[in-house]
Amino acid sequence: MIATKTISRRDFLKLAGASAGGLAAMAALGHGFKTLSASEARQQQEAGKRVVYTACVMCPAECGLAVEVENGVISNIYGNIHVPYNSGTVCAKGVSGLQLVYNVNRIKYPMIRVGERGEGKFKRVSWEEALDYIATKLIEIKQKYGAESVIMDCGDVTDRDPYYYLFRAFGTPHTVEHGSICDTPRRHGPKLMFGGKRIEPDIMRPVLVRQPDGSLKNDYSYRTRLIIYVGWNPFTATRINYESRGTVEAKLAGARIIVIDPAFSNTATKADRWIPIRPGTDADLFAAMLRYILENHRDDDPFRRYIDWSFKEYSQGWEEFEAAFRSWWDRKDPLNGLPYFSLEWAAERTGIDAQTIAELAHTFGITKPAALVWGMNGIGHHYNGYTASILGTALNVITGNMEVPGGAIDTELVKSSKGGKASGGDFLKREVTRIVNGREVKGKIEELHMDGYGDWPAAWDDVVGDYPRRFIEGVTLRYGPFRGHRYPIKAYFIRTGNPVITGSNTQKWIEALTAKDETGNYKVELVVYIDTVFLETGLYADVVLPEASYMERMSLSDIYPVHPVLYLRDFVIRPMYESKTQYEICWALARKLHEKGDPDIQPKDFWEKYPTEEDFWNEALRVAPGRPNTGEPLPYPNLPKGYKLLGTPDSLEAGRVQIDDEKKEIRGEPLTVQWLREHHGVAVWPMSWKRFHGGGVLQTDSKKVEFVWDYTVEKDGQVQRKGRYAKYNKLIEEAGETPPSIARLGWQKYPSTFYWFETRWNPYTNPDYAKYREEYPFQVISGRIHHAMSGTQMVDWLGRLPTEDLWMPLNDERVVEEVILGENGPTPTGRRVRIPRGTWSIGVIQMNRADGERLGLKTGDLVELETPQGFKTRGKVVLVETIRPGVLRLPFGGGGRFSPGLGKTWAFQDITPNHNALVDPENLSPIMGQPAYGDVIVKVRKLG
Ligand code: SF4
């Protein structure tokens, strides 16, 4: 029986405080959303309604929610006012989660494939049958090829720990998540230099701050004077919820907002200035800004005092970095004959005039506090995004903007720790034996990793974009103790992800998942798809398992706050149909593996150790907040400075702690699920700034900001090699073999400081591609839309909404046969459904009006895009003034939330462009193998 809840679309939009104008505007106006106050929550409970504090997953921002439940059915979704990250707001998409939870197209039962992969033919089976099938196959594969032949891809959304735990215990080093195909170049600079990940502006409010009188108070003040967003569109892309609210508030408080993006995004609509840069040239812009700042800084001139030299107190290696950077200044770019990083050079390449670049550098240098922030669809999607994120990080550091109030914050370094032993990392340290070239070799499980010890040694987030090749060719380890070991990939588990569409080139993924060996069997012998909704990749699975929706399971959220905040995803309702939680799925599979004699799955590690789901998550909470008592104002002035904090906020506040001087730890009462339930689902520890000083939160070898990444230090008469690249360079030197990805750049190992290389498929910056300029005159980029990450195309309310001229109600009239997800997979119901013209939003191709008119096109015309390699996609064009000429923008993954059974959008698959059909499968960025989604050039042909 499907529980239903009926709300009209008008009521839905009213509830979200929005008009049909799109989600961005809704997200921007935080005060437009319905918030449930503490007293209202109490009133609801008194009226017989339950309010459960949990976390959203309708997008990866994971806002805190207060969900009202009546008679076991969700009746309303509100923001949780106690979670400072979203501060009580919930957007229209969050409210529409009702239609995802109570959707007829959820996966309801385990299913096993009966047709060929891709045909979508399945039969319903019991959990017992499904798990038996999987466990039998896993044990067979392990015995024949080793556990390393199994990949567990935990996909797009959160709540991954039970999967990590099970598969690491099983013995595979391949437990991965979508981050590796999302934005690794974007994160590279902060990782190298801070041990962090993402730089965000200090605009999350409120923040809990220690006052001079010793009390703790919420601080709502916005001190930022300038934010420069580069290829970053938080008003649509979400993930960092507070950025849309905070940007508006910061602007109202006097901050200047500059957006640099080829397209006039929703974020650009709120900016003081939009600078339409040429795609793939962000590194050029940053290099010119850095050169300008270095050449024009004057200590004695307050109008040109760009550099705050105090950064040297908490950094090392600047001299080497600066020298390597300056060494390029006298060289001439072969493409334009101009000196590297000069204003004229950057103007030629970026398409931004030299005066504007100089103004930008000056403004950023002189305005403090400020934040330079870059995003995933920009820098994160280019082959050379690494150079851009390194330069951007350096710019934030030398101008003194890191970690100052109103400046820039690396959220990875300051958010609460979680996971700990519940992530199963200890299992990867176990010793295993393999026969390599006839020799018995011992090593750790982690040393069997196909990237870290294979083709991509510095790919600490794995190389999912390269999976299709490994599925077909197998793996050869090049480094570490198992050098020379070869193994095939035989099992692929994908959970809440859709790599066929989002994991680089679509066609290559399909070829790899359907490739057969000489005996006619699939090369990858087992493909398991686990999700609440049925996406395209599910069509290629042998077994489909229904995972409980985000309202029916438990875990923890900690999404990029500027100080430690951790909140609970709790059971709002019981899992529907036959779906199971992650813990239930993993523990049931563990029991099955144990029954069948798998030696690595032991009761003491599973049901004896964590007999309930709550026990498991309590283990994950044990390491919270796990950050040092550091910064200004000191979070806990009565506790030792610099010591790691562990435990609930109230126990630390009251001093109910044990202090371990040897480990430099302060241990309060451990945080638990129960504690969170008793405190509105959330734990909030105090904010402070200047957390880089004296080591603070930095996660580098030197506990300083590092501008060098392979260096030596002497300790106790011993020379030690340090820095983020040192480990990989040691492996390379021991093996005497350069990884192919960096050999292509002419390097023998990873550089020890500043480096530079050009992006690919860019005729305006890379001489190798200049010949394509005339025939392939368009660069293709992508933009986020409201359908992202969670399969929301099956949500009817969201199906009608447009996003940024990228997802528009441009459907033609069609009468289609309804297909729903039944017991045997996608099943036609026989019912004919008329979809009137202009009533359903579909992915489109955004094109500059002048370009379109020159080609004789008008909005709504169907075109085909083709790359020099012959990759094609098709869609309707929308002509706008709000994109740089010569650039086309497609919705990212917008073609990816498809599958028969996912609502009306599937009916328009033939005219919905798929960005990833165009991506060069070999164009994986050289350091970490991120697919270079943003380096694509095409010609355009009108169809019909
Ligand atoms: S921003 Fe994302 S996580 Fe937050 S309420 Fe909206 S959909 Fe949910």
Side-chain angles (χ1 to χ4, degrees):
M1 168 87 182
I2 303 169
T4 54
K5 163 84 187 159
T6 313
I7 297 181
S8 73
R9 181 165 170 267
R10 180 185 294 181
D11 286 345
F12 155 65
L13 290 170
K14 251 191 333 203
L15 189 64
S19 70
L23 292 171
M26 306 175 198
L29 301 168
H31 50 273
F33 302 124
K34 182 73 186 96
T35 293
L36 200 63
S37 70
S39 61
E40 281 173 319
R42 263 198 310 281
Q43 281 167 17
Q44 312 278 43
Q45 280 162 347
E46 281 157 18
K49 296 175 182 172
R50 252 181 347 117
V51 173
V52 182
Y53 293 102
T54 188
C56 187
V57 191
M58 287 297 283
C59 88
E62 297 186 39
C63 295
L65 298 180
V67 180
E68 187 188 275
V69 186
E70 214 174 335
N71 301 324
V73 178
I74 299 169
S75 45
N76 268 313
I77 297 174
Y78 301 94
N80 182 353
I81 191 84
H82 306 281
V83 173
Y85 173 77
N86 60 305
S87 193
T89 61
V90 59
C91 78
K93 187 168 164 178
V95 173
S96 73
L98 276 171
Q99 281 199 346
L100 190 91
V101 174
Y102 297 118
N103 198 298
V104 68
N105 282 320
R106 280 182 57 159
I107 304 172
K108 303 174 194 71
Y109 319 103
M111 298 185 288
I112 287 183
R113 177 174 61 81
V114 291
E116 289 291 311
R117 284 189 191 158
E119 284 185 342
K121 292 184 182 158
F122 296 91
K123 65 167 184 192
R124 179 181 172 180
V125 294
S126 66
W127 271 98
E128 173 66 21
E129 268 178 278
L131 293 175
D132 197 86
Y133 182 96
I134 295 169
T136 305
K137 201 76 198 149
L138 276 179
I139 288 174
E140 194 185 304
I141 289 170
K142 188 184 206 174
Q143 284 169 352
K144 222 159 153 185
Y145 308 104
E148 59 272 29
S149 290
V150 176
I151 296 174
M152 174 70 229
D153 184 340
C154 296
D156 284 350
V157 293
T158 182
D159 311 353
R160 305 171 177 121
D161 299 75
Y163 294 106
Y164 282 136
Y165 190 87
L166 169 64
F167 281 82
R168 287 171 174 175
F170 176 73
T172 179
H174 303 309
T175 47
V176 62
E177 47 98 359
H178 96 286
S180 58
I181 50 167
C182 180
D183 61 345
T184 58
R186 171 199 184 194
R187 297 184 248 144
H188 203 72
K191 182 81 173 183
L192 277 183
M193 294 155 84
F194 310 151
K197 238 181 203 175
R198 286 184 180 83
I199 293 175
E200 304 298 341
D202 176 26
I203 52 173
M204 179 182 123
R205 294 294 181 273
V207 285
L208 192 63
V209 180
R210 183 74 57 191
Q211 305 297 310
D213 66 1
S215 65
L216 279 172
K217 283 208 177 82
N218 272 333
D219 180 345
Y220 291 86
S221 52
Y222 291 86
R223 300 178 182 88
T224 308
R225 309 308 306 155
L226 170 70
I227 304 172
I228 303 178
Y229 288 121
V230 183
W232 182 222
N233 184 14
F235 283 69
T236 296
T238 60
R239 182 108 235 182
I240 318 292
N241 174 295
Y242 56 81
E243 264 182 15
S244 43
R245 291 179 296 114
T247 302
V248 174
E249 297 289 355
K251 188 171 171 180
L252 291 173
R256 204 167 163 216
I257 313 296
I258 298 174
V259 169
I260 299 169
D261 196 311
F264 189 68
S265 62
N266 274 338
T267 306
T269 65
K270 305 290 176 292
D272 297 280
R273 186 162 191 190
W274 169 51
I275 301 174
I277 191 171
R278 177 175 284 136
T281 61
D282 308 299
D284 309 26
L285 175 68
F286 288 177
M289 286 172 69
L290 182 58
R291 178 168 178 170
Y292 181 91
I293 283 174
L294 293 176
E295 285 184 322
N296 293 283
H297 166 84
R298 298 288 179 273
D299 278 332
D300 55 0
D301 181 351
F303 298 104
R304 286 199 287 168
R305 200 180 294 139
Y306 303 133
I307 301 173
D308 179 345
W309 294 110
S310 70
F311 83 88
K312 289 195 156 194
E313 291 164 22
Y314 53 87
S315 70
Q316 69 167 31
W318 168 251
E319 292 71 18
E320 290 95 316
F321 183 96
E322 187 186 7
F325 180 67
R326 282 178 183 265
S327 73
W328 283 80
W329 294 10
D330 294 332
R331 300 190 209 175
K332 299 269 172 61
D333 184 339
L335 201 62
N336 55 27
L338 295 166
Y340 277 95
F341 315 154
S342 62
L343 292 176
E344 296 69 28
W345 171 88
E348 179 83 15
R349 292 163 58 111
T350 60
I352 305 170
D353 66 79
Q355 182 59 32
T356 301
I357 297 172
E359 272 172 35
L360 200 59
H362 171 79
T363 305
F364 180 66
I366 208 72
T367 314
K368 297 172 199 293
L372 177 64
V373 181
W374 51 94
M376 50 189 105
N377 283 48
I379 285 166
H381 283 189
H382 293 291
Y383 185 79
N384 69 341
Y386 305 95
T387 54
S389 77
I390 289 167
L391 286 162
T393 306
L395 280 164
N396 277 313
V397 172
I398 69 163
T399 51
N401 281 307
M402 287 307 305
E403 275 291 318
V404 294
I409 288 172
D410 187 324
T411 56
E412 186 69 13
L413 297 171
V414 297
K415 68 181 187 179
S416 172
S417 300
K418 71 174 172 60
K421 287 191 181 302
S423 299
D426 291 349
F427 294 121
L428 298 177
K429 306 284 177 206
R430 285 181 316 200
E431 192 177 75
V432 286
T433 305
R434 294 288 181 273
I435 306 296
V436 182
N437 298 325
R439 222 165 32 90
E440 197 175 273
V441 180
K442 286 189 194 308
K444 293 183 193 139
I445 288 173
E446 64 190 8
E447 289 166 328
L448 289 163
H449 197 285
M450 66 171 127
D451 300 321
Y453 296 85
D455 293 346
W456 307 85
W460 46 74
D461 276 337
D462 302 79
V463 184
V464 173
D466 206 20
Y467 279 5
R469 184 174 68 83
R470 325 289 184 87
F471 288 177
I472 290 174
E473 293 176 11
V475 174
T476 303
L477 297 184
R478 296 171 189 269
Y479 307 103
F482 298 110
R483 176 170 157 76
H485 178 47
R486 283 187 54 76
Y487 60 87
I489 299 300
K490 286 291 175 187
Y492 179 57
F493 285 69
I494 174 70
R495 177 247 164 196
T496 66
N498 198 20
V500 161
I501 299 295
T502 57
S504 87
N505 185 284
T506 294
Q507 198 48 38
K508 290 288 160 192
W509 268 90
I510 293 172
E511 278 170 27
L513 289 172
T514 54
K516 293 189 171 175
D517 61 21
E518 49 295 337
T519 62
N521 294 318
Y522 288 115
K523 284 195 155 200
V524 180
E525 294 174 14
L526 176 67
V527 178
V528 179
Y529 177 85
I530 309 168
D531 207 331
T532 307
V533 295
F534 192 81
L535 306 177
E536 182 96 5
T537 306
L539 292 170
Y540 299 88
D542 305 312
V543 186
V544 174
L545 300 178
E547 189 181 83
S549 84
Y550 68 103
M551 292 287 185
E552 301 154 13
R553 64 193 197 221
M554 178 184 279
S555 73
L556 308 169
S557 278
D558 64 341
I559 294 294
Y560 314 123
V562 297
H563 65 107
V565 176
L566 197 60
Y567 46 107
L568 183 64
R569 175 165 302 105
D570 207 351
F571 294 106
V572 177
I573 53 175
R574 296 305 307 167
M576 291 176 63
Y577 311 105
E578 289 188 10
S579 60
K580 289 185 187 292
T581 69
Q582 294 87 336
Y583 168 90
E584 288 170 339
I585 293 171
C586 291
W587 262 231
L589 183 54
R591 276 185 194 274
K592 196 46 96 179
L593 286 163
H594 179 66
E595 272 167 38
K596 288 181 174 289
D598 188 291
D600 297 317
I601 304 296
Q602 294 299 326
K604 67 175 174 45
D605 294 323
F606 286 86
W607 44 95
E608 287 176 11
K609 191 169 191 176
Y610 307 120
T612 69
E613 191 142 1
E614 208 168 305
D615 294 328
F616 180 81
W617 292 110
N618 281 340
E619 177 71 73
L621 284 167
R622 210 177 287 278
V623 292
R627 301 294 173 187
N629 187 29
T630 193
E632 296 173 16
L634 196 63
Y636 297 99
N638 298 331
L639 297 175
K641 191 174 174 183
Y643 281 30
K644 189 201 275 188
L645 296 162
L646 295 163
T648 60
D650 57 347
S651 63
L652 294 170
E653 188 65 20
R656 297 194 301 272
V657 297
Q658 291 176 340
I659 295 174
D660 185 332
D661 288 315
E662 207 174 310
K663 290 189 176 164
K664 294 200 176 348
E665 278 181 5
I666 301 162
R667 288 196 284 271
E669 291 149 9
L671 187 64
T672 60
V673 168
Q674 189 53 35
W675 189 96
L676 287 169
R677 283 192 179 132
E678 287 163 4
H679 293 80
H680 306 104
V682 59
V684 182
W685 295 268
M687 169 73 174
S688 60
W689 290 270
K690 304 214 168 174
R691 289 166 290 187
F692 282 7
H693 290 261
V697 293
L698 287 163
Q699 297 284 339
T700 53
D701 285 343
S702 61
K703 293 291 271 173
K704 291 183 170 184
V705 172
E706 293 189 342
F707 287 97
V708 282
W709 314 308
D710 186 357
Y711 59 92
T712 53
V713 289
E714 220 183 297
K715 196 174 174 205
D716 305 328
Q718 301 251 309
V719 176
Q720 294 177 352
R721 190 114 167 237
K722 301 280 183 186
R724 186 66 57 176
Y725 284 152
K727 174 182 164 196
Y728 317 117
N729 282 343
K730 272 198 275 183
L731 287 174
I732 292 168
E733 287 161 19
E734 278 160 21
E737 184 178 348
T738 302
S741 54
I742 61 166
R744 212 189 225 181
L745 300 174
W747 298 350
Q748 263 142 33
K749 57 184 178 181
Y750 297 94
S752 58
T753 190
F754 172 78
Y755 54 76
W756 182 259
F757 59 88
E758 301 292 357
T759 204
R760 302 179 75 214
W761 291 113
N762 191 329
Y764 305 94
T765 59
N766 189 328
D768 294 346
Y769 300 93
K771 63 185 176 206
Y772 294 112
R773 258 196 219 190
E774 300 305 318
E775 195 183 346
Y776 297 89
F778 291 99
Q779 289 181 277
V780 179
I781 58 169
S782 64
R784 297 276 160 175
I785 54 165
H786 62 282
H787 291 305
M789 309 283 281
S790 52
T792 54
Q793 282 182 11
M794 63 206 275
V795 174
D796 216 62
W797 285 332
L798 297 177
R800 299 148 200 241
L801 287 178
T803 310
E804 285 196 11
D805 301 325
L806 275 177
W807 200 260
M808 302 283 291
L810 273 187
N811 68 300
D812 42 20
E813 170 142 346
R814 290 191 182 182
V815 177
V816 296
E817 186 175 8
E818 185 186 58
V819 177
I820 61 161
L821 200 68
E823 296 194 359
N824 301 316
T827 312
T829 63
R831 204 168 75 92
R832 311 288 288 172
V833 180
R834 189 174 73 90
I835 309 172
R837 180 186 176 85
T839 59
W840 196 254
S841 282
I842 55 173
V844 293
I845 300 165
Q846 202 178 66
M847 177 185 267
N848 184 278
R849 188 175 300 284
D851 286 334
E853 286 173 357
R854 208 180 47 253
L855 294 172
L857 296 170
K858 58 183 187 318
T859 290
D861 282 350
L862 191 64
V863 300
E864 180 182 76
L865 312 182
E866 182 176 356
T867 71
Q869 295 168 301
F871 297 126
K872 294 177 185 172
T873 194
R874 50 159 56 186
K876 291 186 172 184
V877 285
V878 171
L879 304 188
V880 294
E881 286 76 23
T882 49
I883 191 163
R884 189 187 160 85
V887 180
L888 304 177
R889 195 162 71 128
L890 274 58
F892 186 81
R897 299 288 138 181
F898 278 159
S899 147
L902 272 193
K904 299 185 188 111
T905 308
W906 178 253
F908 299 98
Q909 58 171 310
D910 58 321
I911 55 166
T912 302
N914 176 9
H915 180 100
N916 287 349
L918 302 172
V919 171
D920 175 1
E922 305 298 320
N923 195 16
L924 302 173
S925 48
I927 314 285
M928 296 185 70
Q930 158 91 17
Y933 306 111
D935 296 330
V936 173
I937 53 174
V938 295
K939 60 184 173 190
V940 177
R941 186 167 70 91
K942 187 175 175 184
L943 299 174

